[in-house]
Structure formats: C-alpha cells, structure tokens
Amino acid sequence: MSDSQKTRVAFIGLGAMGQPMAEHLIKSNYDVRGFDLSKDARDALASRGGFPAESAAIAMADADIAITMLPNGKIVQDALFSGDAWKGLKPGALVIDMSSSAPTDTRDLAERLTAVGLRLVDAPVSGGVKRAVAGTLTIMAGGAEADITEVSTLFDAIGGQVFRTGGVGSGHAMKAINNFVSGAGVLAAIEGVLLARSFGLDANTVVDVLNSSSGKNNATEVKMKQFILSETFGSGFALGLMAKDIRIAADLAKSLDLNLDTLAETADTWDAAKNALGPSEDHTAIIKYLNNRN
C-alpha cells in the first residue's frame, strides 16, 4: 500500500505510553505523524518509521485521525485549538482522546469539535507501559457507536480489549473510576503490610497469603513484591497521574451530589502523598508517605 493510501494518524504525545502505542500503529501500516515537546521522543518515532512533526499543527495536516495522549483534558484542548491546529485535519476527521481527562471537560471538547465539523471519541487506556509495549492495553471507548466501529481496527493494533462504555465522556469516567478502585487497592495492600509488620509478620508471607485468599487485588499481584517491598518503585506510572485520576473521580461524584466517603478519603490521601513526595515519583512509592505518617 502506498503512503497516499494509508490512513494518516496524527499522534500527539509520545511519552512512555504514547511512544509504543504509536509504534504499534506504524507496524499496522498506518501513516503516523507524531508530535511531542521532547525532541528525543520525536527522534525515537522517526527511527521506527514515523514522521516527526515539529508542531501539533504539522502533525495534524491532512490527517484522517488525530490521537491525543497527554496529561489532561486542558492540554488536549490547547493542542487542538492553540494556533488552530485542528484546521489541518481532513473535514469530518475523528479525534480520539486517549488521555486521562475529566469527563466534563471531554463533553465540552466534543461540543467545540462538533461546532467545527469534527468528531470525538474518548478512549483512555489501562495496563501501564508494559502492556502498551505488548499492544494489549484495555481501551474504554466513549462516543457514537459508528465512530468507535470506524476505528476498531486501529484499537485492535494497540489494545487487547475494547469496552464500549456509552456516550462521549463515559470512557474518561470509567478510567477515573478504575484508577480510584486501583488506587484504593494500593492503599489497602500497603496498610495491610504495615499493620502486619508491626505485629511481627513477614511482609512477603503476607503478600503470598493475600494472593491465595480473598484479599488479592492488582496491587498484591503485580506491585507489592515487584516494586514496593523491593523498593525499586519502577512501575512506570507517576504518583501525580494516579492522584489526578482519583481526584477526577471524586470531583465527578461531587458534581453528581454523591457522598462517597471512601472515594473522597482516597483522593485526599493520594493528593497529600503527591504534595509530600512530588508528582513525578512512581506511584508505588506512596509507601514512603504512608510510613512517615506513623
């Protein structure tokens, strides 16, 4: 297939997750035009067969699809509308926001894009860097059924499972809820180990028992021994991002007049840890904060 026949994808945000996702699209014969503020990231994309764009506007020029993989929804809107970068997209092009954004911001973005003749699917992912590299991410897609169907092959290139969550904004709501449950599980697992240690139990034994019992969760299976007890703190997901996602869930609950105490307390704990340790610290390092509280 010639380059002119390939589906052109503008990929904005070539970080730890975005870079391998873009690479899978290149391997699946998409014409990927990528932009990132980091020149090293742009160079890495070029070395793998993508086109390194010097700006978001250049990446979006004549693109059929624009994918954003950025820290939050405000940055997504800036990438699309600062300098009118969106104007380079083909008429009726589809924007896929795969960032972790606030669902209310996502609905605002959908309105802005609809007003200029573009479409939006919010499709955040779960699975971390390891599954981004493997191409087995879980994708939570919100938007019109026809729009999601249109990019099903693209999703297959980067994901193992795709869940259609409902209308625009529902994917981002689902991602925030997932990370709340995940983040609460991390806190529960760590506090359980801290309690066990204080009583004289061996931490590794505690994790083994949890993983063979009803206390098992994602943290006990893939984080406690691997990153927390080993003190390597190298899961690849930043503490600030976890805190942001859980706060999105808490703000959503507040906007819906829901009094969810566990969610509120979990959000407060992660925010406090972010402030104490710094947002760039790996999220598994939250044990340092929890230890210092005692």
Side-chain angles (χ1 to χ4, degrees):
M1 182 183 294
S2 68
D3 287 347
S4 62
Q5 294 174 310
K6 293 180 179 179
T7 299
R8 179 170 293 182
V9 177
F11 204 109
I12 313 301
L14 301 169
M17 296 286 290
Q19 187 75 243
M21 291 165 67
E23 289 175 24
H24 282 297
L25 294 179
I26 294 168
K27 291 176 183 176
S28 296
N29 213 32
Y30 287 90
D31 175 13
V32 178
R33 309 296 178 101
F35 171 69
D36 194 279
L37 293 174
S38 166
K39 184 179 183 301
D40 288 344
R42 299 196 302 271
D43 290 345
L45 182 74
S47 71
R48 290 161 176 81
F51 176 83
E54 296 293 321
S55 69
I58 292 173
M60 290 186 208
D62 208 30
D64 303 283
I65 297 168
I67 295 175
T68 52
M69 191 65 180
L70 297 165
N72 59 56
K74 300 296 185 186
I75 297 174
V76 169
Q77 295 215 30
D78 286 344
L80 289 165
F81 288 96
S82 292
D84 288 335
W86 65 270
K87 288 185 175 179
L89 294 170
K90 287 183 178 178
L94 183 61
V95 176
I96 309 174
D97 182 15
M98 305 193 81
S99 319
S100 293
S101 303
T104 50
D105 290 343
T106 303
R107 288 180 174 176
D108 290 342
L109 175 60
E111 290 181 3
R112 293 185 73 180
L113 291 173
T114 299
V116 296
L118 300 174
R119 298 167 292 150
L120 177 68
V121 167
D122 56 306
V125 299
S126 180
V129 175
K130 183 177 181 180
R131 285 174 58 191
V133 171
T136 59
L137 291 166
T138 295
I139 299 172
M140 298 153 255
E145 285 285 332
D147 292 341
I148 297 172
T149 298
E150 181 179 321
V151 290
S152 59
T153 302
L154 182 149
F155 286 156
D156 287 343
I158 57 180
Q161 286 186 295
V162 179
F163 292 93
R164 301 187 181 210
T165 54
V168 168
S170 63
H172 284 145
M174 185 67 248
K175 175 61 185 291
I177 293 165
N178 175 77
N179 277 15
F180 154 55
V181 174
S182 175
V186 171
L187 297 183
I190 292 174
E191 290 188 351
V193 164
L194 294 179
L195 174 61
R197 276 177 169 170
S198 294
F199 190 72
L201 294 170
D202 175 73
N204 284 289
T205 300
V206 171
V207 174
D208 288 340
V209 172
L210 291 172
N211 282 331
S212 297
S213 307
S214 59
K216 179 172 67 174
N217 66 20
N218 178 263
T220 64
E221 287 190 295
V222 302
K223 297 177 183 178
M224 288 302 296
K225 286 189 176 184
Q226 296 89 334
F227 305 117
I228 296 173
L229 299 185
S230 68
E231 298 184 351
T232 55
F233 308 126
S235 75
F237 188 63
L239 196 158
L241 293 177
M242 179 68 89
K244 179 205 70 175
D245 289 349
I246 298 172
R247 180 55 63 187
I248 287 173
D251 288 345
L252 180 61
K254 186 176 180 179
S255 73
L256 297 171
D257 294 324
L258 295 175
N259 184 24
L260 303 178
D261 291 342
T262 300
L263 172 53
E265 291 168 8
T266 301
D268 289 345
T269 299
W270 280 97
D271 278 343
K274 175 194 69 177
N275 294 335
L277 302 176
S280 62
E281 184 75 83
D282 193 88
H283 81 283
T284 57
I286 194 172
I287 191 172
K288 300 176 186 178
Y289 169 75
L290 298 174
N291 255 326
N292 290 337
R293 293 196 307 180
N294 297 305

